[in-house]
Amino acid sequence: MAVEIKSKSDIEKMRATCRLAASVLEYIEPFVQPGVTTEELNRLCHEFIVKAGAYPSPLNYHGFPKSICTSINEVICHGIPGSQTLREGDIINIDITTTLDGYFGDCSDMFVVGGEASPAASKLIDVTRRSLWLGIAEVGPGKRIGDIGAAIYDFAGRKHGYGVVDAFCGHGIGREFHMAPQVSHRGRRGTGLRMKPGMTFTIEPMINEGTHECDILGDGWTAVTRDRRLSAQAEHTILVTEHGYEVLTLRSGCYQPG
Ligand code: MF3
Ligand code: CO
Ligand code: CO
């Protein structure tokens, strides 16, 4: 499948929707506290996005029932907000996608409920974020898409012994939520599509404490680790530029290496 090259005006619209998606993560962070329900986080994000003149892309996407994804502890991704109450020490991924002026922006990050995670959870989150940025460092014109996942797998899988999920991938994004190319997080060096300026896609590694294998719960959405050990994820939307990359979903306070 051909990978779309964004025009200058497409890129401006991608910047705007991605900036909005990132600002939702910034907005919601102080509400991630013991006692809050994921339904309440969903409501707050939904209102924020609608007030900004945008649409919360997950809502009704292939039947997804809510406006954001909330994935707690052993949930890998696509957790559905509901009556579950956050508890001190839980780790939660909040995944925000916005549709603004017809363009999608997609990002997620981890939050620690009450601010203090176990050493094991802290390390998992740290390795996950660093692996995302090692993948980002592989982005540039003429480079191969397989190198992104290879960098992620070498670090999180080989070096740290974590399970790197391969059932879900990063994806091209633009006027559609999910489009070509697929961005594997366990790629092979020197393989895959050559990147070109104007391509936009996500990188969103899901890293597990134990096995990389997953189960889908009875709701048809929630992906959990088969061994029910912890999982973490971080996601950015990236633009390939003439000289390298631009991370479109950066926000203030966002993890960045170095
Ligand atoms: N935001 C997720 C991603 O990173 C997709 C969520 S699809 C939904 O690709 F239907 F679960 F919302
Ligand atoms: Co995504
Ligand atoms: Co996402």
Side-chain angles (χ1 to χ4, degrees):
M1 244 212 290
V3 175
E4 191 177 273
I5 304 296
K6 267 70 179 176
S7 69
K8 275 218 161 73
S9 108
D10 293 331
I11 289 168
E12 274 317 309
K13 289 170 180 167
M14 286 300 292
R15 286 198 179 105
T17 190
C18 287
R19 204 180 305 124
L20 174 62
S23 75
V24 181
L25 288 178
E26 214 176 313
Y27 162 74
I28 203 63
E29 178 156 28
F31 296 100
V32 183
Q33 296 292 342
V36 78
T37 64
T38 49
E39 171 68 55
E40 177 67 358
L41 299 177
N42 178 80
R43 189 187 66 77
L44 289 162
C45 292
H46 179 97
E47 298 273 298
F48 184 98
I49 291 164
V50 169
K51 278 192 186 132
Y55 181 81
S57 322
L59 185 59
N60 300 320
Y61 180 75
H62 294 285
F64 191 79
K66 295 287 179 177
S67 299
I68 65 172
C69 296
T70 49
S71 301
I72 302 172
N73 296 338
E74 74 279 7
V75 179
I76 296 171
C77 64
H78 303 164
I80 302 173
S83 57
Q84 186 173 0
T85 293
L86 298 186
R87 293 181 311 182
E88 190 92 30
D90 281 344
I91 63 169
I92 178 174
N93 175 277
I94 301 181
D95 193 329
I96 304 291
T97 313
T98 54
T99 316
L100 180 65
D101 206 3
Y103 289 76
F104 290 79
D106 192 6
C107 55
S108 80
D109 203 359
M110 300 302 298
F111 302 89
V112 177
V113 180
E116 223 164 310
S118 68
S122 298
K123 186 183 168 213
L124 178 68
I125 292 171
D126 183 58
V127 168
T128 300
R129 288 177 175 150
R130 284 161 66 189
S131 78
L132 167 59
W133 279 89
L134 288 169
I136 292 171
E138 298 294 332
V139 175
K143 295 186 168 187
R144 308 284 294 253
I145 213 130
D147 289 345
I148 296 171
I152 291 167
Y153 185 76
D154 280 350
F155 182 69
R158 282 213 171 72
K159 179 161 184 217
H160 287 285
Y162 287 134
V164 179
V165 173
D166 62 355
F168 303 95
C169 290
H171 49 92
I173 184 166
R175 271 165 296 193
E176 289 171 50
F177 197 158
H178 297 104
M179 53 201 296
Q182 282 200 5
V183 182
S184 167
H185 304 114
R186 309 173 59 136
R188 293 222 329 272
R189 292 227 175 257
T191 69
L193 176 86
R194 273 185 208 286
M195 295 174 240
K196 291 199 181 83
M199 290 181 175
T200 52
F201 52 79
T202 73
I203 307 176
E204 48 182 298
M206 286 142 272
I207 307 299
N208 298 348
E209 245 189 322
T211 180
H212 72 277
E213 290 189 287
C214 65
D215 291 324
I216 306 292
L217 299 186
D219 59 25
W221 283 102
T222 309
V224 299
T225 56
R226 185 151 294 167
D227 58 12
R228 304 302 193 263
R229 295 181 71 192
L230 294 177
S231 181
Q233 180 177 26
E235 174 175 29
H236 278 305
T237 298
I238 316 292
L239 166 71
V240 183
T241 63
E242 295 293 335
H243 299 290
Y245 60 81
E246 185 177 321
V247 179
L248 300 178
T249 43
L250 278 182
R251 64 188 195 276
S252 95
C254 183
Y255 170 85
Q256 272 183 276

